[in-house]
Amino acid sequence: MTSKFTKQLCLIFLVSLFLSCKTEKNYSTENPNIIIIYTDDLGYGDVSAYNKGTLNTPNIDKLANEGIRFNNGYASSATCSPSRYALLTGTYPWRKTGLKIITGGSLVIDTTEMTIPKILKTKGYHTGIVGKWHLGLGSGDGFDGTGVINYNSNISPGPNQVGFDYSHIMADTQDRVPTVYIENGDVVNLDPSDPIEVNFFHQEKHNDYGLPTGLKNPELTTMKWHHGHNGSIVNGVPRIGYMKGGEKARWSDIDMADHFLEKAQEYINKNKDKPFFLFYTLQQPHVPRTPHPRFEGTSGMGPRGDVIVEADWCIGELYKTLESEGILDNTLIIFSSDNGPVLNDGYYDDAVEKLGDHTPSGGLRGGKYSLFEAGTRVPFITYWRGKIKPGISNEIISQIDLFNSISKIVGIEYKSKDGIDFSDLIINNKGQGREELILEASTRTAYRKGDWVMIPPYRGPSISKNVNIELGNSIDFKLYNLKEDPSQKSDLSKKEPEKLKEMIASFVKIRGRAFSNIENLVLE
Ligand code: NG6
Ligand code: CA
């Protein structure tokens, strides 16, 4: 009797084991299409699924509500280029000396480095990027305005040399020259008789270089610069840097969202019969905020709100394309943002004045450029119709982990330097997330472990006057408990000296004794 019962139990156990193996295997053998939708400067609280307020993002909400909404999802960094580097390579950006925001600089990913698209190519994927690149182009040295890129012949190395079969990009940002699209290394619509020249050198010296500038001819601008953006004026918008030529190739700012959407849709249509990876990197809501007229006034919050509504619409349209092409059920969509929110990032555009009750940071402290949570904690959503069950996760996960996780999902165990495989979390909402994570903002680093965050001392202003954001600089170590104090109001470093010591020790283990303050600290 007992043995019959035991046999039955064993049988049930084996059958359920078989079934569970089958479900686990399902996603790793099917080679789904993978789309990473990546917004620029969209805050934790800018998505209404995260922060029900005055701004509505119904299409992103659909992904969040019918997929997994991660409440502790991070970009590696509080600025763009480092986050994008970390996402594509699974490597902490501070390992790359001097990696900061790029302005006309050269490619920061080494062409020998492994990247997500390169991994996917080994599994027969077609890979594409449409949108903002901001990882540098060409092989000069330096991240800043060396002006060495020749835009008049095929530009290489670039996205196509680090794993993308297809690229249709803007080089850096919408506020930087050259204001042209680049497809597979070639400037789109370039007239050879009107070559493009660009430089980023100091304005006093080069104020007479190229197009009229915001500094000298403010009367020619339709958008006024607040700080920084007083170089060449294109379409009434003064930019960072100076440009001449390339008149026919210049983009129309108000059409940029539609342009990238169309290119993304074209890419999907063309590649729908094989597995593909699309990195769709929207420019919104980064400055200059230039909504198409049909979105003007739709948010009641001025251009910043309007371009978020526009970006949300684009995501809805992309979704419809996947549905009408019949490939939605075979497509994993990952949605996130490259860093936290900023209101005034260099232009007078009513972002502050018309904000009303909306909270872009969703109640987190800081914003873009900050070591506080709002700098790096961003919307992070995974969606796969019919495969991912709706859910919410409070596990800690970083964009750095997408490299290992995506590898696992397509059946390769490729491990990056700093990433962790969270495929089970991403697909099944199962298992634990990160125990610890280094956070980065303009080469400064902080440390999260469990609910605790430690920010080491840094020189510099506590608040950036230009953007009005608390940067996380202080002469002391700061310690916060996010469970009890999600908005980092109470520094516990004096109250919890043992915890602080433990946090510093663990931080130093990963980061090294990179700071004199830490070197002087007694760590017995
Ligand atoms: C800064 C710009 C800012 C923005 C940022 C890049 C100034 C004063 N500020 O240097 O406007 O362009 O670079 O943002 O020029 S990011 O999201 O691409 O990192
Ligand atoms: Ca950004």
Side-chain angles (χ1 to χ4, degrees), residues 41 80 132 134 175-176 227 229 240 286 345 368-369:
D41 298 3
C80 176
K132 165 168 165 169
H134 213 184
D175 58 2
R176 283 163 171 74
H227 58 273
H229 305 74
I240 298 173
H286 195 284
D345 205 13
K368 182 174 179 177
Y369 310 110

Side-chain angles (χ1 to χ4, degrees), residues 39-42 78-81 83-84 132 134 173 286 337-340 345 368:
T39 48
D40 193 1
D41 298 3
L42 190 75
T79 58
C80 176
S81 311
S83 287
R84 284 159 206 256
K132 165 168 165 169
H134 213 184
T173 55
H286 195 284
S337 175
D338 67 343
N339 53 252
D345 205 13
K368 182 174 179 177

Side-chain angles (χ1 to χ4, degrees), residues 313-331:
W313 175 84
C314 291
I315 292 163
E317 291 303 296
L318 193 86
Y319 185 94
K320 281 188 207 157
T321 303
L322 296 171
E323 204 165 31
S324 65
E325 295 295 354
I327 54 173
L328 188 58
D329 294 338
N330 192 31
T331 303

Side-chain angles (χ1 to χ4, degrees), residues 501-521:
K501 237 184 228 171
E502 179 199 316
M503 291 288 284
I504 295 170
S506 313
F507 172 75
V508 166
K509 254 193 208 154
I510 309 175
R511 187 69 181 91
R513 291 182 171 232
F515 312 96
S516 54
N517 330 47
I518 288 181
E519 271 172 39
N520 296 337
L521 209 90

